[in-house]
Each structure stands twice: as C-alpha cells, then as structure tokens.
Amino acid sequence: MKHNPAELDEPSLDSETQFGEPQTGDTQVASKGMAGALTLMKGLDVLTRVSKGDNTLGKMAKSLGINKTTVHRLATTLVEANYLNFSQRDGYSLGTKLLELGYAASQQITLTRVSHAHLMQLSADTGDTVNLGVIDRNQVHYIDKIPGTRRIEVRCVIGERQPLRHTGLGKALLLNESEDTLREIYQREAAEYPRYKYDVKQWLDIMKHYREEDYALDLDENEDHIRCVAAPIRDMNGRIVAAVSVSSAAQYMDDQRIQTVKAYVQETCLHISQELGYRRA
C-alpha cells in the first residue's frame, strides 16, 4: 500500500522569525543546522516509539507530544528509506534497514572484542602499527588500531575510510571476489583516483597472486614510503568479514621482512577467524 506524505503544519525551525529576531549570514546557517539536528532527533524518537509498540500516528503523536502531521512527515521519510514499514492492517513496524545496521553493528562489535587482544600481540611482536578494517560504503572502514613503537608512526585514525584498490586492507577484503567485481571496483576507483601505479590488467594479475597466497600488500600505493602486509579474517561460513594489516615505513619493511610479517599476520587472522567459528578445510 502506498504511503502518501502529508504537509507539515508546524512553523519552520529555520524561518527568519525563529527566536523572535531576523537572521542573516552565519546566524541563519547555524539556525538551519539546528533545524536539521532537531529533525533528526525527532526521527530517531519516532523509531524508538515504533520499537516500543506505537504502530499508529496517533499513538506516536501522543507519546512524543507533537502533532500527527509532523509525525506523518517523519514516518513517511523513514518508510521511504526502509527504516520503517507501513501497512494499512498492521500500521508501522521497524524496517529492514535496521536489520542491516544491527547486523553490521553486531559484526563490528564482535570483531573488535574478539580481535583486540590478538592485534595487541601482533603489534608487540612486530613493533609496527596494526589496523583492523571492514568494507563499508565501498571503502575500507578502520574499526581498530594499535599504534606501533617505531620512531616513524603510520598515520591512521579509527573511523577513517580509504579506497579498496590500493590499500593492503582493501585488497585483503576483496580476495574472494570475482574478476568481474574486481574490474568494476578498479574502474570505479580509477575515476576518483586516476593516478595509480598499476593498470587494470596488472592489478587483476596481482590480485590473482594474492588470492592464491591468501594475503595482500600495499607497496607505497596509498601513501609514499609506507608499506602494509594484510590478510583476511573469515567467519564460520568462510566469508571474508574483515582484514588485518601491519603497516610500517618502507625503511623497516624490505622484501625479506615482508615475508616474516606475512606469517605473523596470517597466523593472527587465522586465530581470530577460528574464534569467529571458521574451520580451515
């Protein structure tokens, strides 16, 4: 059943008469930002009320103390974005988007809890910066970091996002993907980051080698003079759900040491994977 929007009958939060005085310039921008934040909070309040069983506009309006047309506008937006479902028979219920977010959150919380001690040990064993990452919005999302003890520290921030194609973590996260998917990722990122040391054929050949060896490298590809060794973490079904990398300045990561670090990283990833239920065939 189509869910039709209603007109908003509340005064605009960013009108020039807000707070009783005309607004111009920076004050008007700030007022618009406040209006957006208040709208967001009201939308979250609507989600909370639905989760507690308020499945009609009337019930939500009464619980929240706002009028029904405002609730209807907020609920319509949430339905369109799949945060809520609506049917004439059952009213409002939580939507599939929340299931996706809940699953992703539980995965990340579990990953960081299970893996953190292993990452600490890996950093202690190597002396280098250790990162944990997952794929989020077609990028590498860094969800944990253990700083190294070397004089030169590798820049990275928890919550940061980086491209897939030329990071060690990104390549490790893609090891199970088909050649067609890899080609698509390469072309998509090439549009945003046109300068790269490998063409698509070279990159696909490199990825084939990494898949066979179950690891990946970043050899001065994402940042000058920084090298990374990465490997995937798998869940109980063998799916790659995360990756771990050891990053260091190139002066500490020559070809011989890469092989040593590779063994440490792969062993760490295997231990984490096993705690997530993975069993190597």
Side-chain angles (χ1 to χ4, degrees), residues 85-129:
N85 292 322
F86 175 79
S87 70
Q88 291 286 5
R89 187 184 68 178
D90 300 320
Y92 292 93
S93 60
L94 298 180
T96 56
K97 188 66 177 179
L98 293 174
L99 288 175
E100 295 174 21
L101 293 176
Y103 177 76
S106 67
Q107 287 287 94
Q108 291 191 16
I109 292 169
T110 299
L111 276 168
T112 54
R113 177 179 56 79
V114 168
S115 65
H116 190 76
H118 294 286
L119 304 184
M120 292 281 290
Q121 186 61 53
L122 180 59
S123 181
D125 289 340
T126 62
D128 296 312
T129 299

Coordinates of all heavy atoms in Angstrom, one line a residue, residues 85-129:
N85 N 8.5 0.1 8.2 CA 7.5 -0.5 7.2 C 6.1 0.1 7.6 O 5.9 0.5 8.7 CB 7.4 -2.0 7.3 CG 8.7 -2.7 6.8 OD1 9.3 -2.2 5.9 ND2 9.2 -3.7 7.5
F86 N 5.2 0.1 6.6 CA 3.8 0.5 6.8 C 2.9 -0.3 6.1 O 3.1 -0.6 4.9 CB 3.7 2.0 6.4 CG 2.2 2.5 6.6 CD1 1.8 2.8 7.8 CD2 1.4 2.5 5.5 CE1 0.4 3.2 8.0 CE2 0.1 3.0 5.6 CZ -0.4 3.3 6.9
S87 N 1.8 -0.7 6.7 CA 0.7 -1.4 6.1 C -0.6 -0.9 6.7 O -0.6 -0.6 7.9 CB 0.8 -2.9 6.2 OG 0.5 -3.3 7.5
Q88 N -1.7 -0.9 5.9 CA -3.0 -0.5 6.4 C -3.5 -1.3 7.6 O -4.1 -0.9 8.5 CB -4.0 -0.5 5.3 CG -3.8 0.6 4.2 CD -4.1 2.0 4.7 OE1 -4.5 2.2 5.9 NE2 -4.0 3.0 3.8
R89 N -3.1 -2.6 7.5 CA -3.6 -3.6 8.5 C -2.9 -3.5 9.8 O -3.4 -3.4 10.9 CB -3.6 -5.0 8.0 CG -4.2 -6.0 8.9 CD -4.0 -7.4 8.4 NE -2.6 -7.9 8.4 CZ -2.2 -9.1 8.1 NH1 -3.0 -10.0 7.6 NH2 -0.9 -9.4 8.2
D90 N -1.5 -3.4 9.7 CA -0.7 -3.5 10.9 C -0.1 -2.2 11.3 O 0.5 -2.1 12.4 CB 0.5 -4.5 10.7 CG 0.0 -5.9 10.3 OD1 -1.0 -6.3 11.0 OD2 0.6 -6.5 9.4
G91 N -0.2 -1.1 10.5 CA 0.4 0.1 10.9 C 1.9 0.1 10.6 O 2.4 -0.5 9.7
Y92 N 2.6 0.8 11.5 CA 4.1 0.9 11.4 C 4.8 -0.2 12.1 O 4.4 -0.6 13.2 CB 4.5 2.3 11.9 CG 4.0 3.4 11.1 CD1 2.8 4.1 11.4 CD2 4.7 3.9 10.0 CE1 2.3 5.1 10.7 CE2 4.2 4.9 9.2 CZ 3.1 5.5 9.6 OH 2.6 6.6 8.8
S93 N 5.9 -0.6 11.5 CA 6.8 -1.6 12.2 C 8.2 -1.2 11.8 O 8.4 -0.5 10.8 CB 6.5 -3.0 11.8 OG 6.6 -3.2 10.4
L94 N 9.2 -1.8 12.5 CA 10.6 -1.5 12.1 C 10.9 -2.1 10.8 O 10.5 -3.2 10.4 CB 11.5 -2.0 13.2 CG 11.4 -1.4 14.6 CD1 12.3 -2.1 15.6 CD2 11.6 0.1 14.6
G95 N 11.8 -1.4 10.0 CA 12.1 -1.8 8.7 C 13.4 -2.6 8.5 O 14.2 -2.8 9.5
T96 N 13.6 -3.1 7.3 CA 14.7 -4.0 7.0 C 16.1 -3.3 7.1 O 17.1 -3.9 7.4 CB 14.6 -4.6 5.6 OG1 14.5 -3.5 4.7 CG2 13.4 -5.5 5.5
K97 N 16.1 -2.0 6.9 CA 17.4 -1.2 7.1 C 17.9 -1.3 8.4 O 19.2 -1.4 8.6 CB 17.1 0.2 6.7 CG 18.4 1.1 6.6 CD 19.3 0.6 5.4 CE 20.5 1.5 5.3 NZ 21.3 1.0 4.1
L98 N 17.1 -1.4 9.5 CA 17.5 -1.5 10.8 C 18.2 -2.9 11.1 O 19.1 -3.0 11.9 CB 16.4 -1.3 11.8 CG 15.9 0.2 11.8 CD1 14.7 0.3 12.7 CD2 17.0 1.1 12.3
L99 N 17.6 -3.9 10.4 CA 18.2 -5.2 10.5 C 19.6 -5.2 9.9 O 20.6 -5.8 10.5 CB 17.4 -6.3 9.7 CG 16.0 -6.7 10.4 CD1 15.3 -7.6 9.4 CD2 16.3 -7.4 11.7
E100 N 19.8 -4.6 8.8 CA 21.1 -4.5 8.2 C 22.1 -3.7 9.1 O 23.2 -4.2 9.3 CB 21.0 -3.7 6.8 CG 20.2 -4.4 5.8 CD 20.1 -3.5 4.5 OE1 20.9 -2.6 4.4 OE2 19.1 -3.7 3.8
L101 N 21.7 -2.6 9.7 CA 22.5 -1.9 10.5 C 22.8 -2.6 11.8 O 24.0 -2.6 12.3 CB 21.9 -0.5 10.9 CG 21.7 0.5 9.7 CD1 21.0 1.7 10.2 CD2 23.1 0.9 9.2
G102 N 21.8 -3.3 12.3 CA 22.0 -4.1 13.5 C 23.0 -5.2 13.3 O 23.9 -5.5 14.2
Y103 N 22.9 -5.9 12.2 CA 23.8 -7.0 11.9 C 25.2 -6.4 11.7 O 26.2 -7.0 12.3 CB 23.4 -7.7 10.6 CG 24.4 -8.8 10.1 CD1 24.4 -10.0 10.8 CD2 25.3 -8.6 9.1 CE1 25.3 -11.0 10.4 CE2 26.1 -9.6 8.7 CZ 26.1 -10.8 9.4 OH 27.0 -11.7 9.0
A104 N 25.4 -5.3 11.0 CA 26.7 -4.7 10.8 C 27.3 -4.3 12.1 O 28.5 -4.5 12.4 CB 26.6 -3.5 9.8
A105 N 26.5 -3.7 13.0 CA 27.0 -3.3 14.3 C 27.4 -4.5 15.1 O 28.5 -4.4 15.8 CB 25.9 -2.5 15.0
S106 N 26.6 -5.5 15.1 CA 27.0 -6.7 15.9 C 28.2 -7.3 15.4 O 29.1 -7.8 16.2 CB 25.8 -7.7 15.9 OG 25.6 -8.3 14.6
Q107 N 28.4 -7.3 14.1 CA 29.6 -7.9 13.5 C 30.8 -7.1 13.9 O 31.9 -7.7 14.3 CB 29.5 -7.9 12.0 CG 28.6 -9.0 11.4 CD 29.2 -10.3 11.5 OE1 28.9 -11.1 12.5 NE2 30.0 -10.7 10.6
Q108 N 30.7 -5.8 13.9 CA 31.9 -4.9 14.2 C 32.2 -5.0 15.7 O 33.3 -5.1 16.1 CB 31.6 -3.5 13.8 CG 31.6 -3.3 12.3 CD 31.6 -1.9 11.9 OE1 31.9 -1.0 12.7 NE2 31.3 -1.6 10.6
I109 N 31.1 -5.0 16.5 CA 31.4 -5.1 18.0 C 32.0 -6.5 18.3 O 33.0 -6.5 19.1 CB 30.0 -5.0 18.7 CG1 29.5 -3.5 18.6 CG2 30.2 -5.3 20.2 CD1 28.1 -3.3 19.1
T110 N 31.5 -7.5 17.7 CA 32.1 -8.8 17.9 C 33.5 -8.9 17.4 O 34.4 -9.4 18.1 CB 31.3 -9.9 17.2 OG1 29.9 -9.9 17.8 CG2 31.9 -11.3 17.4
L111 N 33.8 -8.3 16.3 CA 35.1 -8.3 15.7 C 36.1 -7.6 16.6 O 37.2 -8.2 16.9 CB 35.1 -7.7 14.3 CG 34.7 -8.5 13.1 CD1 34.5 -7.7 11.9 CD2 35.8 -9.5 12.8
T112 N 35.8 -6.4 17.0 CA 36.7 -5.7 17.8 C 36.9 -6.3 19.2 O 38.1 -6.4 19.7 CB 36.2 -4.2 18.0 OG1 34.9 -4.2 18.5 CG2 36.2 -3.5 16.7
R113 N 35.9 -6.9 19.7 CA 36.0 -7.6 21.0 C 36.9 -8.8 20.9 O 37.8 -9.0 21.7 CB 34.7 -8.0 21.6 CG 34.7 -8.7 22.9 CD 33.3 -9.1 23.4 NE 32.5 -9.8 22.4 CZ 32.6 -11.1 22.2 NH1 33.5 -11.8 22.9 NH2 31.9 -11.7 21.3
V114 N 36.7 -9.6 19.9 CA 37.4 -10.9 19.7 C 38.8 -10.6 19.3 O 39.8 -11.3 19.7 CB 36.7 -11.8 18.7 CG1 37.6 -12.9 18.3 CG2 35.4 -12.3 19.2
S115 N 39.0 -9.6 18.5 CA 40.3 -9.4 17.8 C 41.3 -8.6 18.6 O 42.5 -8.7 18.3 CB 40.1 -8.9 16.4 OG 39.6 -7.6 16.5
H116 N 40.8 -7.7 19.5 CA 41.7 -6.7 20.0 C 43.0 -7.3 20.7 O 44.1 -6.8 20.5 CB 40.9 -5.8 21.0 CG 41.7 -4.6 21.5 ND1 41.8 -3.5 20.7 CD2 42.4 -4.3 22.6 CE1 42.5 -2.6 21.3 NE2 42.9 -3.1 22.5
A117 N 42.8 -8.3 21.5 CA 44.0 -8.9 22.2 C 45.0 -9.4 21.2 O 46.2 -9.3 21.3 CB 43.6 -9.9 23.2
H118 N 44.4 -10.0 20.1 CA 45.3 -10.6 19.0 C 46.1 -9.4 18.3 O 47.2 -9.6 18.0 CB 44.5 -11.4 18.0 CG 43.9 -12.6 18.6 ND1 44.6 -13.7 18.9 CD2 42.6 -12.9 18.9 CE1 43.8 -14.7 19.3 NE2 42.6 -14.2 19.4
L119 N 45.4 -8.3 18.1 CA 46.0 -7.2 17.4 C 47.1 -6.6 18.3 O 48.2 -6.2 17.8 CB 45.0 -6.1 17.1 CG 43.8 -6.5 16.2 CD1 42.9 -5.3 15.9 CD2 44.2 -7.2 15.0
M120 N 46.9 -6.5 19.6 CA 47.9 -6.0 20.6 C 49.1 -6.9 20.5 O 50.2 -6.4 20.5 CB 47.3 -6.1 22.0 CG 46.2 -5.0 22.2 SD 46.8 -3.4 22.5 CE 47.6 -3.6 24.1
Q121 N 48.9 -8.2 20.5 CA 50.0 -9.1 20.4 C 50.8 -9.0 19.1 O 52.0 -9.0 19.1 CB 49.6 -10.6 20.6 CG 50.7 -11.6 20.7 CD 51.6 -11.4 21.9 OE1 51.1 -11.2 23.0 NE2 52.9 -11.3 21.7
L122 N 50.1 -8.8 18.0 CA 50.7 -8.7 16.7 C 51.6 -7.4 16.7 O 52.7 -7.4 16.1 CB 49.6 -8.6 15.6 CG 50.1 -8.5 14.2 CD1 51.1 -9.6 13.8 CD2 48.9 -8.4 13.2
S123 N 51.1 -6.3 17.2 CA 51.8 -5.1 17.3 C 53.1 -5.3 18.2 O 54.2 -4.8 17.8 CB 51.0 -4.0 17.8 OG 51.7 -2.7 17.8
A124 N 52.9 -6.0 19.3 CA 54.1 -6.2 20.2 C 55.1 -7.1 19.5 O 56.3 -6.9 19.6 CB 53.6 -6.9 21.4
D125 N 54.7 -8.1 18.7 CA 55.6 -9.0 18.0 C 56.4 -8.3 16.9 O 57.5 -8.6 16.6 CB 54.8 -10.2 17.4 CG 54.3 -11.1 18.5 OD1 54.9 -11.1 19.6 OD2 53.4 -11.9 18.2
T126 N 55.7 -7.3 16.2 CA 56.3 -6.7 15.0 C 56.9 -5.3 15.3 O 57.7 -4.8 14.6 CB 55.3 -6.6 13.9 OG1 54.2 -5.7 14.3 CG2 54.8 -8.0 13.5
G127 N 56.3 -4.6 16.3 CA 56.7 -3.3 16.6 C 56.1 -2.3 15.7 O 56.4 -1.1 15.7
D128 N 55.1 -2.7 14.8 CA 54.5 -1.9 13.8 C 53.1 -1.6 14.1 O 52.5 -2.2 15.0 CB 54.6 -2.6 12.5 CG 56.0 -2.7 12.0 OD1 56.8 -1.8 12.1 OD2 56.4 -3.9 11.6
T129 N 52.5 -0.6 13.4 CA 51.1 -0.3 13.5 C 50.2 -1.4 13.0 O 50.5 -1.9 11.9 CB 50.8 1.1 12.8 OG1 51.6 2.1 13.4 CG2 49.3 1.4 12.9

